[in-house]
Amino acid sequence: MRFADKPTTSAQLDIAAPPLTVWRLVTDINLAAQYSTEFKGAEWLDNATQPALGAKFRGHNVHPAIGDWSTDSEVTSLREPEHYEWSVLGEDLPGAIWSFTLEPIEVGTRLTQQMQIGPGRNGLTAAIERWPDKEERIIEKRLAEHQENMIRTLSGIKALAEKSS
């Protein structure tokens, strides 16, 4: 897979709780910080206090190979209680697109988290430019890291949602 292909990864989990219960958890911009090894928290920007179409927030991250960094994101889709999406802002195009999709199922909610790298420049771009012959391995490793944190986050959401239901 190459950067130009807009590589994606996702994780999915069934949760024995209604979609509205799960929705309240996935729209908490700081909840993933409890479970992720990389994401450390966020704050709303420009007087926003909760998810709304066009609302912006700043997320803080840490990675052993990269160090600390922050990114600004914008909520680009919000359909309660079905879909929540945000784009990591880049100069021209999003550096990444993240989302949660909630689907009602017989036992509760099927929760899917997805992320797409690119299409705009992001932290991976410099590594790929430095080692173009390793582009596919760089992307594969990064997608695996994101998927691992997604699984951790979804498992945490499942535990909280099922405990409160």
Side-chain angles (χ1 to χ4, degrees), residues 31-40 61 149-150 152-153:
L31 184 72
Q34 294 179 44
Y35 309 105
S36 175
T37 61
E38 186 170 310
F39 177 68
K40 297 304 167 196
N61 304 281
N149 276 313
M150 287 179 187
R152 293 169 57 92
T153 299

Side-chain angles (χ1 to χ4, degrees), residues 58-125:
R58 180 165 295 135
H60 307 286
N61 304 281
V62 64
H63 188 282
I66 303 167
D68 298 344
W69 76 96
S70 297
T71 58
D72 289 355
S73 295
E74 180 176 353
V75 176
T76 51
S77 178
L78 191 69
R79 295 187 315 273
E80 184 179 344
E82 300 166 358
H83 188 74
Y84 173 42
E85 176 186 282
W86 64 96
S87 295
V88 179
L89 299 175
E91 289 182 26
D92 297 321
L93 298 168
I97 301 170
W98 291 81
S99 67
F100 285 104
T101 302
L102 294 76
E103 176 188 348
I105 57 173
E106 194 172 315
V107 298
T109 306
R110 177 161 294 142
L111 178 61
T112 305
Q113 185 176 19
Q114 180 174 313
M115 75 84 55
Q116 172 189 300
I117 297 173
R121 293 179 63 82
N122 60 38
L124 216 51
T125 311

Side-chain angles (χ1 to χ4, degrees), residues 29-50:
I29 63 169
N30 282 298
L31 184 72
Q34 294 179 44
Y35 309 105
S36 175
T37 61
E38 186 170 310
F39 177 68
K40 297 304 167 196
E43 69 270 351
W44 290 106
L45 301 174
D46 304 327
N47 299 317
T49 58
Q50 63 185 13

